Amino acid sequence: MIGLISATAAGAAARDRVAAAWPDRTRVYDGPVGEAVRTAFAECAQLVCFLATGATVRLLAPLLGDKTSDPGVVCVDEAGRYAVALVGGHGGGANALAREVGDLLGAEPVVTTATDAVGMTGLDTLGLPVEGDVAGVSRALLDGEPVALAAEVAWPLPPLPVAGPGTTAAHTVRVTDRAVAPGAGEVVLRPPTLVVGVGASRGAPAEEVLGLVEDALREAGLSARSVAALATVDAKADEPGVVAAAEHLGVPLVTYAAQELAAVEVPHPSDAPLAAVGSPSVAEAAALAGGGELLVPKRKSRRADGRPAMATCAVVRRPARGRLAVVGLGPGARDLLTPRARAELRRASVLVGLDQYVDQIRDLLRPGTRVLESGLGAEEERARTAVAEARRGHAVALIGSGDAGVYAMASPALAEASDDIDVVGVPGVTAALAAGAILGAPLGHDHVSISLSDLHTPWEVIERRVRAAAEADLVVTFYNPRSRGRDWQLPKALAILAGHRAPTTPVGVVRNASRPDESSRVTTLADLDPATVDMMTVVTVGNTATREIAGRMVTPRGYRWQDTRPKEAE
């Protein structure tokens, strides 16, 4: 919950805007300000104080304890100009909250945390349990000192400016699921790589289940902080001891149908679980159901009274799933790059793209991002590279102009990818939409986009599609209309359309949409000179209803009421 505190009418107005926008996330604290701050500090995970910074500091000072447990506090000035992350920038989430509040109120977020100020990934913002000398290693990264990355298990981390292999370094970031204590100058990150399969008899005590799991992890030298889930059979989904063990470890309980577990090959099948739940294995099969390496084979609990064990467990290290984000950069203007695209660019530790597109967004990348760029004509190679990097467990961004799914990189990448990686699509403003907004409203009714490049598609197929669009009276946007080596395709396509549309049909021509050298014009099907068109141009040909109105290209929606309204309303 986010506590909201204000002292003046101006502050209360901004406070109420936040409360109205986030009714389920916020609570307003009225009354004397000092008392309101003390109560909210004790009850809420975060605070937004609509007060002067100095006043907020004085009110908070006696309450501060430890940065790992204090709530995050954002301070908004009376005029609503700034949202300052005051306390708990990382641990309390104040940095992110300041940006959210800034977006909501139109205020400028002020974040002074050192790593955020220089665009570096904070070691305590990765969403992973972190131990060791966070401050010392972060300072070394900020100062440009060599920091080694010791990744004992693969995990898709965001970029970190670590030293290359073989570099001598006094500081280390270790990524491991082993139960090792951080050394001097070391930070240990614990990714959620372990799945513990659990079987239990009816009524198995929670302490027996939990004790078995903890003993198995400890004896195998594995960290409980890297456990991602407990897994079992559906029939045990509500077994109190199993549920309580998952709750104590703070992980979800994942269940599988008995027939699913019966299909999993295990080293130690048994007749007892087969008779009880319909699968020859529960603990090993549930742990292995998602794939991975069996680190701890099935073991039974030990009971002090010598009675038969009531619980079994097995531990698996699941394979790291790399992450591939296919990101559309839009038509070129920075303000048409979506916030989600920005976030994915900053999250990726590996960026793959055409060199000229990489140059567009290089300044947005975090320090430590590995950039793999290549020139024109290497689309399939870039797609294969991006997928291969994701399969190695990295967080990868594959970029393309416009929308990555429209004549761009999503198609070859997804054709290459299988279900062993996570794939995220990030939409972008594609050229047809950017050009359409410049021209007016040419896409106001049914429309189609057709690429005139016959490098990958035979001309016979392209021509058939153009002819079908002409016969269907669709507005047509031509991508890749003309290049030095392909100068006859556009005239041919226009001639096909001219067989079904009047010479006066409006045609929009937009070059370098949204870029500094953008140009556009509206002409007609008869007057368009194909020689004025190149590969940086989008050509939009209207249908039989498209009109030029006040210099803009408009295709009406064709509402039925337009045909029946009174004459005097026209």
Side-chain angles (χ1 to χ4, degrees):
M1 186 63 66
I2 303 171
L4 305 179
I5 301 105
S6 63
T8 66
R15 176 202 67 190
D16 292 345
R17 286 177 60 192
V18 175
W22 301 336
D24 299 328
R25 298 177 59 191
T26 58
R27 180 187 303 161
V28 173
Y29 285 80
D30 291 316
V33 174
E35 182 180 334
V37 169
R38 286 191 296 273
T39 304
F41 193 91
E43 295 179 350
C44 296
Q46 295 175 318
L47 279 68
V48 181
C49 297
F50 298 86
L51 307 167
T53 304
T56 306
V57 169
R58 283 191 294 273
L59 292 169
L60 290 174
L63 308 176
L64 297 176
D66 185 271
K67 70 176 185 178
T68 60
S69 57
D70 287 340
V73 180
V74 171
C75 184
V76 179
D77 65 288
E78 297 285 321
R81 295 171 300 174
Y82 303 102
V84 183
L86 198 62
V87 173
H90 286 167
N95 291 350
L97 181 59
R99 296 186 179 98
E100 283 192 276
V101 172
D103 287 343
L104 179 59
L105 299 178
E108 181 177 350
V110 179
V111 175
T112 59
T113 311
T115 50
D116 293 82
V118 300
M120 194 183 79
T121 305
L123 295 173
D124 52 353
T125 66
L126 301 176
L128 302 178
V130 57
E131 303 167 14
D133 187 11
V134 175
V137 175
S138 297
R139 187 165 51 249
L141 289 169
L142 287 166
D143 291 342
E145 298 178 19
V147 176
L149 176 63
E152 298 175 6
V153 292
W155 199 255
L157 296 173
L160 293 170
V162 293
T167 304
T168 302
H171 298 85
T172 303
V173 175
R174 185 178 302 278
V175 185
T176 183
D177 54 17
R178 295 188 301 113
V180 295
E186 184 176 70
V187 162
V188 173
L189 300 175
R190 302 200 182 279
T193 55
L194 305 177
V195 176
V196 180
V198 176
S201 302
R202 184 176 299 278
E207 55 270 21
E208 182 173 345
V209 177
L210 182 61
L212 171 63
V213 171
E214 291 177 335
D215 287 345
L217 293 170
R218 182 176 58 255
E219 292 174 20
L222 299 171
S223 172
R225 301 189 77 184
S226 280
V227 175
L230 257 60
T232 191
V233 67
D234 280 349
K236 302 298 177 181
D238 56 356
E239 184 65 42
V242 176
V243 173
E247 290 176 347
H248 180 86
L249 292 169
V251 298
L253 178 62
V254 178
T255 63
Y256 297 94
Q259 56 266 34
E260 289 183 84
L261 298 185
V264 178
E265 186 175 344
V266 297
H268 303 102
S270 172
D271 291 336
L274 179 62
V277 298
S279 170
S281 171
V282 173
E284 287 181 339
L288 286 165
E293 175 190 3
L294 184 63
L295 302 180
V296 179
K298 181 180 72 174
R299 55 182 290 169
K300 297 181 179 180
S301 56
R302 305 185 188 94
R303 307 193 73 186
D305 57 9
R307 296 173 62 187
M310 297 186 73
T312 59
C313 83
V315 183
V316 163
R317 178 180 289 138
R318 64 181 181 177
R321 289 183 65 86
R323 188 174 189 278
L324 174 62
V326 188
V327 181
L329 300 181
R334 180 58 62 85
D335 60 355
L336 291 180
L337 178 68
T338 67
R340 188 179 299 179
R342 286 175 180 261
E344 290 294 346
L345 294 175
R346 295 176 67 77
R347 176 174 180 167
S349 61
V350 180
L351 182 87
V352 182
L354 179 67
D355 47 14
Q356 64 191 61
Y357 298 152
V358 171
D359 288 340
Q360 287 181 215
I361 47 83
R362 199 182 296 272
D363 63 303
L364 298 178
L365 305 179
R366 288 189 184 272
T369 305
R370 184 157 52 95
V371 177
L372 304 177
E373 54 189 310
S374 53
L376 287 167
E379 288 84 359
E380 288 82 3
E381 178 187 344
R382 284 193 291 275
R384 286 192 294 268
T385 297
V387 171
E389 291 290 336
R391 284 183 175 142
R392 295 187 183 103
H394 298 303
V396 183
L398 175 63
I399 60 173
S401 68
D403 184 285
V406 179
Y407 301 121
M409 294 305 303
S411 178
L414 269 60
E416 188 75 22
S418 52
D419 62 359
D420 57 346
I421 61 174
D422 296 323
V423 178
V424 176
V426 182
V429 178
T430 189
L433 300 181
I438 293 165
L439 294 170
L443 308 182
H445 211 297
D446 296 338
H447 55 274
V448 64
S449 296
I450 299 176
S451 171
L452 294 183
S453 172
D454 55 1
L455 295 176
H456 301 285
T457 305
W459 174 253
E460 293 76 13
V461 174
I462 297 172
E463 182 175 340
R464 186 166 66 248
R465 292 170 180 171
V466 174
R467 199 173 302 281
E471 293 172 353
D473 197 27
L474 297 173
V475 175
V476 182
T477 297
F478 288 123
Y479 281 69
N480 306 313
R482 182 177 180 273
S483 67
R484 292 179 181 177
R486 296 185 301 100
D487 59 0
W488 58 268
Q489 288 89 341
L490 179 58
K492 178 65 173 176
L494 294 174
I496 294 172
L497 293 176
H500 298 265
R501 300 178 193 185
T504 56
T505 299
V507 177
V509 181
V510 179
R511 187 178 189 278
N512 283 332
S514 87
R515 301 188 185 217
D517 56 346
E518 169 190 299
S519 64
S520 65
R521 68 185 188 277
V522 176
T523 182
T524 66
L525 193 54
D527 293 338
L528 174 62
D529 180 3
T532 62
V533 173
D534 61 15
M535 285 289 285
M536 304 302 294
T537 306
V538 173
V539 177
T540 301
V541 181
N543 65 11
T544 55
T546 305
R547 298 289 182 266
E548 182 180 350
I549 302 173
R552 302 181 187 93
M553 191 173 170
V554 180
T555 302
R557 287 289 306 274
Y559 292 111
R560 292 182 179 180
W561 57 260
Q562 290 179 325
D563 298 328
T564 59
R565 61 185 176 178
K567 292 294 183 181
E568 59 270 22
E570 294 182 354

